[in-house]
Amino acid sequence: MSMGIDRSAYMGAFREEMLEHLQQVTQGLLSLESHPEDGSVVGELFRRVHTIKGSARMMGFTEMADLAHSMEDVLDQMRSGRLRAGAPLLDAMLSAVDLLRELAKNPSPGDGDRPDVQAVLRWLADLGGGSANVAEGPAPTLPDQPPAPVRAERIDAGSRDTVRVGVGRIDTILNLAGELMVLEAARKQWLEDLSQWTQMLDTAGAVARNAGLKGLSDQAQQLSSDAARAAKRYRRLFVQQAELVRELHYQVSTLRMLPTRSIFSTLPRAARDLAKEEGKEVEVVTQGEDTEVDREVLERVRDPLLHLLSNAIHHGIEIPSDRAAAGKPRVGRVRITAYSRGEQAVIEVEDDGAGVDFPAVRQAAVGLGMLGTADAEQLDDSESARLLFLPGLTTSRVVSGAAGRGVGLDVVKSELDALKGRVFLETRKGEGTKVGLEFPITMAFTHVLLVEIGQSIYGIPCSSTQGIAEVPTKVVLRTLRGREALDMTGRAVPLVWTHRLLGVEPAHAAEMARWPALLLGPAERPMAFAVDRVIGDENVIVKPLSPLLRRLPNVSGGIILGDGRVALLLSATALMDAAIGHQTSPPVTPPSRKARAKALRLLVVDDAAISRELERGILSAAGYEVETAVDGVDALEKLKSGDYALVVADVDMPRMNGLELTATIRADPSMAELPVVIVSARESDEDRRRGMEVGAQAYVGKGSFDQTTLLDAIESLIG
């Protein structure tokens, strides 16, 4: 009795091999589109398709084998010169590749009768069974259309010369190595403490000697000598362990690294399909495919990269006739380049198209209500470039599958912000546009600069820091737009007082003659962020924030310091975005918020206990005297019996809601001038309009709520 073969044990290797072969077949077919007479490419394609057919038959996957067999027949005729690689033929072959890829991921044995497979088989048979001219004619009309082409693949490629280990197991080892790095920092702190104790013993011995206590002095000196020797031994051991821990962490982190070709290899096919939809001709050139990036980071960059490719083809590359009229080659070029810069990876997408039409960008922003006409006229091109990354902005007049829905660069920026990276854009009218993505090579650990702002310690990625400058308290340069700036080697660098941006009081404002300032952002256009103190740099493990803290503005994660304390990691991109349009001034000049708020009594009205207490805590910490009410009726009773400077009210409340309360306040002559700020989860334009119509002076949405917004709104109304 014969025993059947358990093919399930080979499924992992089969799938990996198929996906690798199919990626090479895709690249070969795209190469034939540019060089249809290249016989060596056809020969390589035939060999790979023949391998696919044989492996599929061995595994019992008949549909895969039949598709590969039909492709093999077509390629055989191309080898003999009976067929040429025309567009319809390549369309059919690429559709077959798409189906093979889908079947390789979810294979099923047996004959099968999938309509899409049968349609492509008939298509290939019709094209491959005719004369040499058949490939140049239109594709035959089929009862079932071929499947839509695959835009871009997830990262599936791998090498057969590897041990298959789950990513989860690698992550576990990497996390353990990361925890060792945290302990390394703790050991460093312990050694510093030991050195301090040694000095204290030396001091105690000297005091005892001066007091004539020789015995006590000798004991202190002996203890000091013993502690110094122990510290020396432990320091040598610490250095060796630290080197081993860093090497272990590095080697484990490399297990997750993949070359950028893992995502680059799918882009020429995606570009071909996008260009075909647009009626354009595009060539994609990739460079730096060997640049290695953490697998998780690379996967998260894949979609932003596809957005940039789509934008380059839709908005950048002109149609062939327009390119010819401008003296350009009919075929547009998109160059995608990857390289590493320190701990950062950079991917640039550059096209040779028309460049960004900034007047059209400003006009689109005005048309969508994002800014007024007068404001738009004052924007220069570099400031207008920021508009491109706003949600909903599009200059496209046509909505298509590729573009025109206002979805693209805002998605790119959001994903890069989440990666603690940045996006930069350069453009030349009539010559093209380059958009770059800069992001950490790995998210396993981060090299940060530790700074003190107010009473707290924060971390800022060193990769985002261009340097440190000094800010004299009383010597600043005012730019033409009224902003403070540093005069650095003849150029004005915008200055931001980070304390005010974060809504905290400076720790040493009175005695600070000079402030350290971090230069954040691109080297060509940095911004200076003044802080209380620069502590130093450190390698840290970044921990995600809990759901309760994820809405904190300007914060991207938490970090564990060597002494066990937890600090917040600031996002340089978020800080720069928050500083745009935020007029700040030196912390030493104006009185503190608490001083301005002293003796001002506020009334917070909200039926939700958590919201009510959160707002009360924020306002109390800012120095205001705060009372609370549970709804509009309760608020009116308190207003009649007390003197308040301002009311903060929710909208949805029982008995009397916030809109009714505001209208009642405005109708009462004794309270008509009392400022009202509405804080509500209702955030539509219609809700805001209704709030203003009944007399509220400010409207703060709970969905985007942060303490700085609320405090700024209150301060603008009552000082």
Side-chain angles (χ1 to χ4, degrees):
M1 183 176 65
S2 63
M3 301 206 39
I5 300 174
D6 181 13
R7 292 179 172 85
S8 62
Y10 303 94
M11 278 303 304
F14 170 78
R15 185 182 294 110
E16 184 177 321
E17 178 184 321
M18 289 300 101
L19 293 174
E20 182 179 344
H21 281 309
L22 289 170
Q23 187 55 57
Q24 295 301 319
V25 171
T26 299
Q27 292 177 355
L29 292 172
L30 294 177
S31 177
L32 280 181
E33 191 166 40
S34 303
H35 309 284
E37 306 301 330
D38 193 336
S40 63
V41 174
V42 176
E44 176 63 21
L45 284 171
F46 184 88
R47 286 189 292 274
R48 287 193 177 270
V49 171
H50 182 76
T51 300
I52 291 172
K53 181 182 74 172
S55 298
R57 282 187 173 164
M58 286 288 294
M59 293 293 290
F61 301 135
T62 307
E63 285 184 323
M64 291 187 68
D66 289 346
L67 274 171
H69 182 71
S70 294
M71 294 176 68
E72 191 179 43
D73 286 344
V74 171
L75 290 167
D76 186 48
Q77 294 192 57
M78 291 172 66
R79 283 197 307 180
S80 63
R82 296 194 301 273
L83 278 178
R84 291 183 62 245
L89 181 60
L90 291 175
D91 286 342
M93 294 286 277
L94 287 169
S95 292
V97 169
D98 288 340
L99 279 173
L100 284 171
R101 185 180 288 111
E102 181 182 342
L103 291 170
K105 291 178 179 178
N106 299 286
S108 58
D111 294 334
D113 56 355
R114 288 179 49 154
D116 49 359
V117 173
Q118 297 304 315
V120 172
L121 285 172
R122 291 197 300 275
W123 195 3
L124 289 172
D126 288 342
L127 291 172
S131 65
N133 295 324
V134 173
E136 299 300 325
T141 301
L142 300 174
D144 298 292
Q145 291 299 318
V150 176
R151 291 297 187 212
E153 286 300 307
R154 297 281 172 182
I155 300 171
D156 290 308
S159 169
R160 278 174 284 172
D161 297 327
T162 59
V163 176
R164 298 178 62 86
V165 179
V167 175
R169 296 178 66 182
I170 295 176
D171 287 342
T172 299
I173 299 173
L174 189 59
N175 287 334
L176 291 173
E179 296 299 332
L180 283 175
M181 292 187 68
V182 174
L183 290 177
E184 173 193 338
R187 287 195 298 270
K188 182 179 180 181
Q189 182 64 46
W190 183 83
L191 278 174
E192 292 176 357
D193 292 343
L194 185 57
S195 297
Q196 291 180 359
W197 297 336
T198 303
Q199 294 174 4
M200 291 171 62
L201 286 169
D202 287 338
T203 302
V207 171
R209 186 167 53 255
N210 293 334
L213 302 174
K214 185 177 183 304
L216 183 60
S217 174
D218 291 344
Q219 288 181 356
Q221 185 176 2
Q222 183 62 44
L223 286 172
S224 176
S225 299
D226 292 344
R229 284 194 296 272
K232 186 176 182 179
R233 288 196 302 271
Y234 281 124
R235 186 168 284 107
R236 285 198 302 267
L237 180 61
F238 166 74
V239 171
Q240 294 171 350
Q241 288 181 336
E243 291 177 354
L244 288 173
V245 168
R246 281 193 291 270
E247 181 64 19
L248 171 65
H249 193 276
Y250 170 75
Q251 292 296 340
V252 175
S253 65
T254 60
L255 296 178
R256 290 181 51 94
M257 305 292 273
L258 285 176
T260 52
R261 72 164 55 89
S262 304
I263 55 175
F264 279 14
S265 59
T266 65
L267 297 178
R269 170 69 192 281
R272 177 187 187 273
D273 298 331
L274 291 168
K276 189 174 181 180
E277 290 181 10
E278 299 282 327
K280 300 176 181 180
E281 299 176 25
V282 178
E283 175 190 18
V284 174
V285 178
T286 58
Q287 294 178 325
E289 297 94 335
D290 292 331
T291 303
E292 291 195 331
V293 179
D294 183 279
R295 180 191 183 105
E296 179 185 356
V297 176
L298 200 59
E299 178 65 21
R300 291 174 65 176
V301 170
R302 185 186 63 87
D303 284 343
L305 186 57
L306 193 60
H307 277 303
L308 295 185
L309 179 63
S310 173
N311 275 1
I313 295 173
H314 181 82
H315 293 286
I317 302 297
E318 311 94 331
I319 60 175
S321 58
D322 288 349
R323 291 181 63 85
K328 294 182 177 181
R330 291 178 60 87
V331 178
R333 170 171 289 192
V334 179
R335 184 182 301 277
I336 303 174
T337 306
Y339 57 92
S340 59
R341 185 161 55 195
E343 298 174 356
Q344 300 289 101
V346 180
I347 297 180
E348 297 174 349
V349 179
E350 184 174 12
D351 65 71
D352 65 349
V356 176
D357 185 353
F358 284 119
V361 171
R362 292 189 283 268
Q363 183 179 357
V366 172
L368 293 169
M370 294 178 175
L371 73 165
T373 303
D375 294 331
E377 291 174 351
Q378 295 188 18
L379 295 180
D380 59 24
D381 286 351
S382 63
E383 292 170 324
S384 298
R386 292 182 175 273
L387 298 174
L388 293 168
F389 297 93
L390 295 177
L393 183 77
T394 179
T395 58
S396 178
R397 296 185 177 89
V398 179
V399 174
S400 70
R405 300 188 186 277
V407 177
L409 291 182
D410 63 308
V411 175
V412 172
K413 184 177 182 301
S414 296
E415 188 59 56
L416 267 292
D417 287 348
L419 285 171
K420 295 183 281 294
R422 70 182 184 98
V423 186
F424 58 89
L425 181 145
E426 301 172 8
T427 186
R428 300 169 303 281
K429 186 67 176 176
E431 297 182 25
T433 300
K434 177 168 69 176
V435 183
L437 309 176
E438 184 175 1
F439 49 90
I441 291 177
T442 177
M443 300 292 286
F445 66 94
T446 302
H447 190 204
V448 303
L449 192 65
L450 298 177
V451 298
E452 183 182 11
I453 305 172
Q455 302 295 330
S456 302
I457 294 177
Y458 298 87
I460 296 180
C462 289
S463 57
S464 303
T465 307
Q466 302 298 335
I468 301 173
E470 283 192 339
V471 184
T473 301
K474 299 185 181 299
V475 183
V476 291
L477 170 69
R478 293 268 176 185
T479 67
L480 293 176
R481 300 192 179 183
R483 289 185 177 278
E484 292 172 327
L486 293 177
D487 187 359
M488 298 184 63
T489 61
R491 66 170 177 168
V493 175
L495 174 63
V496 181
W497 297 94
T498 318
H499 318 81
R500 289 182 56 85
L501 201 62
L502 299 180
V504 300
E505 298 296 336
H508 315 290
E511 64 270 20
M512 291 285 281
R514 289 178 174 271
W515 296 78
L518 308 182
L519 300 177
L520 304 183
E524 62 275 11
R525 291 191 307 276
M527 298 178 72
F529 287 79
V531 299
D532 280 290
R533 183 166 64 98
V534 176
I535 299 172
D537 63 316
E538 191 171 313
N539 282 324
V540 298
I541 306 299
V542 180
K543 300 291 186 180
L545 294 173
S546 71
L548 292 175
L549 299 176
R550 284 177 187 163
R551 299 195 71 86
L552 281 177
N554 309 314
V555 175
S556 60
I559 55 178
I560 302 175
L561 305 180
D563 58 6
R565 287 181 295 169
V566 176
L568 294 177
L569 182 67
L570 297 176
S571 165
T573 302
L575 286 175
M576 295 182 68
D577 288 344
I580 299 298
H582 190 284
Q583 180 63 50
T584 62
S585 55
V588 295
T589 302
S592 69
R593 251 193 182 122
K594 287 187 177 181
R596 294 191 299 272
K598 189 175 181 180
L600 291 176
R601 186 160 59 148
L602 311 183
L603 180 63
V604 172
V605 190
D606 199 313
D607 64 317
I610 293 178
S611 297
R612 189 169 63 242
E613 289 306 307
L614 175 62
E615 292 167 19
R616 185 194 62 76
I618 290 172
L619 299 177
S620 296
Y624 296 103
E625 181 183 345
V626 183
E627 292 189 14
T628 60
V630 298
D631 58 29
V633 174
D634 187 22
L636 284 178
E637 292 177 358
K638 286 184 168 60
L639 288 171
K640 291 176 182 178
S641 60
D643 185 19
Y644 297 91
L646 180 139
V647 175
V648 178
D650 186 22
V651 170
D652 296 311
M653 296 183 292
R655 296 201 295 177
M656 178 183 287
N657 65 38
L659 299 180
E660 294 168 339
L661 171 62
T662 305
T664 303
I665 291 173
R666 292 289 164 262
D668 188 330
S670 65
M671 299 186 293
E673 300 301 321
L674 180 64
V676 177
V677 176
I678 289 180
V679 179
S680 174
R682 295 177 176 268
E683 300 185 51
S684 69
D685 292 340
E686 177 63 19
D687 290 320
R688 294 177 184 273
R689 183 186 62 77
R690 289 175 58 203
M692 296 300 141
E693 284 181 351
V694 297
Q697 280 90 347
Y699 198 110
V700 178
K702 287 185 178 179
S704 56
F705 176 81
D706 69 81
Q707 64 180 31
T708 303
T709 303
L710 177 60
L711 292 173
D712 285 347
I714 292 174
E715 188 173 335
S716 68
L717 294 173
I718 61 176

Short mmCIF file of all heavy atoms in Angstrom, two decimals, residues 83 86-92 122-128 130-142 145-146 276:
data_model
loop_
_atom_site.label_atom_id
_atom_site.label_comp_id
_atom_site.label_asym_id
_atom_site.label_seq_id
_atom_site.Cartn_x
_atom_site.Cartn_y
_atom_site.Cartn_z
N LEU A 83 5.82 35.55 -32.40
CA LEU A 83 5.05 36.57 -31.68
C LEU A 83 5.97 37.69 -31.23
O LEU A 83 7.13 37.45 -30.90
CB LEU A 83 4.36 35.97 -30.45
CG LEU A 83 3.04 35.21 -30.65
CD1 LEU A 83 2.57 34.66 -29.31
CD2 LEU A 83 1.98 36.12 -31.25
N GLY A 86 3.83 42.88 -27.95
CA GLY A 86 2.99 44.07 -28.04
C GLY A 86 2.21 44.30 -26.76
O GLY A 86 2.18 43.45 -25.85
N ALA A 87 1.55 45.44 -26.68
CA ALA A 87 0.84 45.82 -25.45
C ALA A 87 -0.25 44.84 -25.06
O ALA A 87 -0.34 44.44 -23.89
CB ALA A 87 0.27 47.24 -25.60
N PRO A 88 -1.14 44.39 -25.97
CA PRO A 88 -2.18 43.44 -25.56
C PRO A 88 -1.61 42.14 -25.01
O PRO A 88 -2.13 41.58 -24.05
CB PRO A 88 -2.98 43.20 -26.85
CG PRO A 88 -2.73 44.41 -27.68
CD PRO A 88 -1.31 44.80 -27.38
N LEU A 89 -0.53 41.67 -25.63
CA LEU A 89 0.08 40.43 -25.17
C LEU A 89 0.65 40.59 -23.76
O LEU A 89 0.46 39.75 -22.89
CB LEU A 89 1.18 40.00 -26.15
CG LEU A 89 1.91 38.69 -25.81
CD1 LEU A 89 0.93 37.53 -25.78
CD2 LEU A 89 3.03 38.43 -26.80
N LEU A 90 1.33 41.72 -23.51
CA LEU A 90 1.89 41.96 -22.18
C LEU A 90 0.79 42.15 -21.15
O LEU A 90 0.93 41.73 -20.00
CB LEU A 90 2.82 43.17 -22.22
CG LEU A 90 4.13 42.97 -23.00
CD1 LEU A 90 4.92 44.26 -23.07
CD2 LEU A 90 4.98 41.88 -22.35
N ASP A 91 -0.32 42.80 -21.54
CA ASP A 91 -1.45 42.94 -20.62
C ASP A 91 -1.95 41.57 -20.18
O ASP A 91 -2.24 41.34 -19.00
CB ASP A 91 -2.59 43.72 -21.28
CG ASP A 91 -2.28 45.21 -21.39
OD1 ASP A 91 -1.38 45.67 -20.66
OD2 ASP A 91 -2.94 45.89 -22.19
N ALA A 92 -2.09 40.67 -21.15
CA ALA A 92 -2.58 39.33 -20.83
C ALA A 92 -1.60 38.58 -19.93
O ALA A 92 -1.99 37.91 -18.97
CB ALA A 92 -2.82 38.54 -22.12
N ARG A 122 -8.27 31.70 -21.96
CA ARG A 122 -8.77 31.90 -23.33
C ARG A 122 -8.07 33.07 -24.01
O ARG A 122 -7.76 33.03 -25.21
CB ARG A 122 -10.28 32.13 -23.30
CG ARG A 122 -11.08 30.89 -22.90
CD ARG A 122 -12.55 31.03 -23.27
NE ARG A 122 -13.19 32.16 -22.63
CZ ARG A 122 -13.72 32.12 -21.40
NH1 ARG A 122 -13.65 31.00 -20.69
NH2 ARG A 122 -14.30 33.18 -20.88
N TRP A 123 -7.80 34.11 -23.22
CA TRP A 123 -7.11 35.29 -23.76
C TRP A 123 -5.71 34.90 -24.27
O TRP A 123 -5.31 35.24 -25.38
CB TRP A 123 -7.02 36.34 -22.66
CG TRP A 123 -6.65 37.73 -23.14
CD1 TRP A 123 -6.44 38.14 -24.41
CD2 TRP A 123 -6.43 38.87 -22.31
NE1 TRP A 123 -6.11 39.47 -24.46
CE2 TRP A 123 -6.10 39.94 -23.17
CE3 TRP A 123 -6.49 39.09 -20.95
CZ2 TRP A 123 -5.82 41.22 -22.69
CZ3 TRP A 123 -6.22 40.36 -20.47
CH2 TRP A 123 -5.89 41.42 -21.33
N LEU A 124 -4.98 34.16 -23.44
CA LEU A 124 -3.64 33.73 -23.83
C LEU A 124 -3.69 32.80 -25.04
O LEU A 124 -2.84 32.86 -25.93
CB LEU A 124 -2.95 33.05 -22.65
CG LEU A 124 -2.53 33.95 -21.49
CD1 LEU A 124 -2.04 33.11 -20.31
CD2 LEU A 124 -1.43 34.92 -21.92
N ALA A 125 -4.70 31.93 -25.06
CA ALA A 125 -4.82 30.99 -26.19
C ALA A 125 -5.09 31.74 -27.48
O ALA A 125 -4.51 31.42 -28.54
CB ALA A 125 -5.93 29.98 -25.91
N ASP A 126 -5.98 32.75 -27.43
CA ASP A 126 -6.29 33.53 -28.63
C ASP A 126 -5.07 34.29 -29.13
O ASP A 126 -4.78 34.33 -30.33
CB ASP A 126 -7.42 34.51 -28.35
CG ASP A 126 -8.76 33.81 -28.20
OD1 ASP A 126 -8.86 32.65 -28.65
OD2 ASP A 126 -9.69 34.41 -27.63
N LEU A 127 -4.34 34.90 -28.19
CA LEU A 127 -3.18 35.69 -28.59
C LEU A 127 -2.03 34.81 -29.04
O LEU A 127 -1.29 35.15 -29.96
CB LEU A 127 -2.72 36.58 -27.42
CG LEU A 127 -3.66 37.73 -27.05
CD1 LEU A 127 -3.19 38.39 -25.76
CD2 LEU A 127 -3.72 38.75 -28.17
N GLY A 128 -1.86 33.68 -28.38
CA GLY A 128 -0.74 32.82 -28.70
C GLY A 128 -0.98 31.89 -29.86
O GLY A 128 -0.05 31.30 -30.39
N GLY A 130 -2.45 32.73 -32.83
CA GLY A 130 -2.57 33.38 -34.13
C GLY A 130 -1.22 33.63 -34.76
O GLY A 130 -0.21 33.03 -34.41
N SER A 131 -1.23 34.57 -35.74
CA SER A 131 0.00 34.90 -36.45
C SER A 131 0.81 35.90 -35.64
O SER A 131 0.42 36.34 -34.57
CB SER A 131 -0.33 35.50 -37.82
OG SER A 131 -1.00 36.75 -37.63
N ALA A 132 1.93 36.33 -36.22
CA ALA A 132 2.81 37.27 -35.53
C ALA A 132 2.15 38.61 -35.32
O ALA A 132 2.57 39.39 -34.48
CB ALA A 132 4.10 37.45 -36.31
N ASN A 133 1.13 38.93 -36.11
CA ASN A 133 0.49 40.24 -35.98
C ASN A 133 -0.62 40.27 -34.94
O ASN A 133 -1.17 41.33 -34.65
CB ASN A 133 -0.10 40.67 -37.34
CG ASN A 133 0.98 40.88 -38.36
OD1 ASN A 133 2.07 41.36 -38.02
ND2 ASN A 133 0.70 40.52 -39.61
N VAL A 134 -0.99 39.12 -34.44
CA VAL A 134 -2.11 39.09 -33.49
C VAL A 134 -1.82 39.93 -32.27
O VAL A 134 -2.68 40.62 -31.74
CB VAL A 134 -2.42 37.64 -33.08
CG1 VAL A 134 -3.47 37.60 -31.97
CG2 VAL A 134 -2.92 36.86 -34.29
N ALA A 135 -0.56 39.87 -31.79
CA ALA A 135 -0.21 40.59 -30.56
C ALA A 135 -0.34 42.09 -30.70
O ALA A 135 -0.41 42.80 -29.71
CB ALA A 135 1.21 40.25 -30.15
N GLU A 136 -0.37 42.60 -31.94
CA GLU A 136 -0.48 44.04 -32.12
C GLU A 136 -1.93 44.50 -32.18
O GLU A 136 -2.21 45.69 -32.15
CB GLU A 136 0.23 44.46 -33.41
CG GLU A 136 1.72 44.12 -33.42
CD GLU A 136 2.45 44.80 -32.29
OE1 GLU A 136 2.10 45.94 -31.93
OE2 GLU A 136 3.39 44.19 -31.75
N GLY A 137 -2.88 43.60 -32.28
CA GLY A 137 -4.28 43.99 -32.39
C GLY A 137 -4.92 44.16 -31.04
O GLY A 137 -4.30 43.96 -30.01
N PRO A 138 -6.21 44.54 -31.01
CA PRO A 138 -6.91 44.71 -29.73
C PRO A 138 -7.12 43.37 -29.04
O PRO A 138 -7.19 42.33 -29.68
CB PRO A 138 -8.24 45.35 -30.14
CG PRO A 138 -8.44 44.90 -31.56
CD PRO A 138 -7.08 44.82 -32.17
N ALA A 139 -7.25 43.41 -27.72
CA ALA A 139 -7.51 42.19 -26.96
C ALA A 139 -8.89 41.66 -27.32
O ALA A 139 -9.82 42.43 -27.56
CB ALA A 139 -7.43 42.48 -25.47
N PRO A 140 -9.05 40.34 -27.42
CA PRO A 140 -10.36 39.78 -27.76
C PRO A 140 -11.41 40.09 -26.70
O PRO A 140 -11.09 40.25 -25.53
CB PRO A 140 -10.08 38.28 -27.83
CG PRO A 140 -8.88 38.08 -26.97
CD PRO A 140 -8.06 39.30 -27.13
N THR A 141 -12.65 40.18 -27.13
CA THR A 141 -13.75 40.41 -26.18
C THR A 141 -14.06 39.10 -25.47
O THR A 141 -14.33 38.09 -26.10
CB THR A 141 -15.00 40.90 -26.92
OG1 THR A 141 -14.68 42.11 -27.59
CG2 THR A 141 -16.13 41.17 -25.92
N LEU A 142 -14.01 39.13 -24.15
CA LEU A 142 -14.19 37.92 -23.37
C LEU A 142 -15.42 38.05 -22.49
O LEU A 142 -15.77 39.15 -22.05
CB LEU A 142 -12.96 37.66 -22.50
CG LEU A 142 -11.63 37.48 -23.26
CD1 LEU A 142 -10.50 37.38 -22.28
CD2 LEU A 142 -11.70 36.25 -24.14
N GLN A 145 -14.03 39.63 -17.69
CA GLN A 145 -12.87 40.49 -17.78
C GLN A 145 -11.75 39.95 -16.90
O GLN A 145 -11.98 39.39 -15.84
CB GLN A 145 -13.24 41.90 -17.34
CG GLN A 145 -14.19 42.60 -18.32
CD GLN A 145 -13.57 42.74 -19.69
OE1 GLN A 145 -12.40 43.07 -19.81
NE2 GLN A 145 -14.35 42.48 -20.73
N PRO A 146 -10.50 40.15 -17.32
CA PRO A 146 -9.37 39.74 -16.49
C PRO A 146 -9.37 40.54 -15.19
O PRO A 146 -9.92 41.62 -15.12
CB PRO A 146 -8.15 40.08 -17.36
CG PRO A 146 -8.68 40.20 -18.75
CD PRO A 146 -10.08 40.67 -18.61
N LYS A 276 -1.09 54.08 -17.76
CA LYS A 276 -2.04 53.63 -18.77
C LYS A 276 -3.40 54.27 -18.54
O LYS A 276 -4.08 54.69 -19.49
CB LYS A 276 -2.13 52.11 -18.73
CG LYS A 276 -2.91 51.50 -19.89
CD LYS A 276 -2.82 49.98 -19.84
CE LYS A 276 -3.58 49.38 -21.02
NZ LYS A 276 -3.52 47.89 -21.00
#
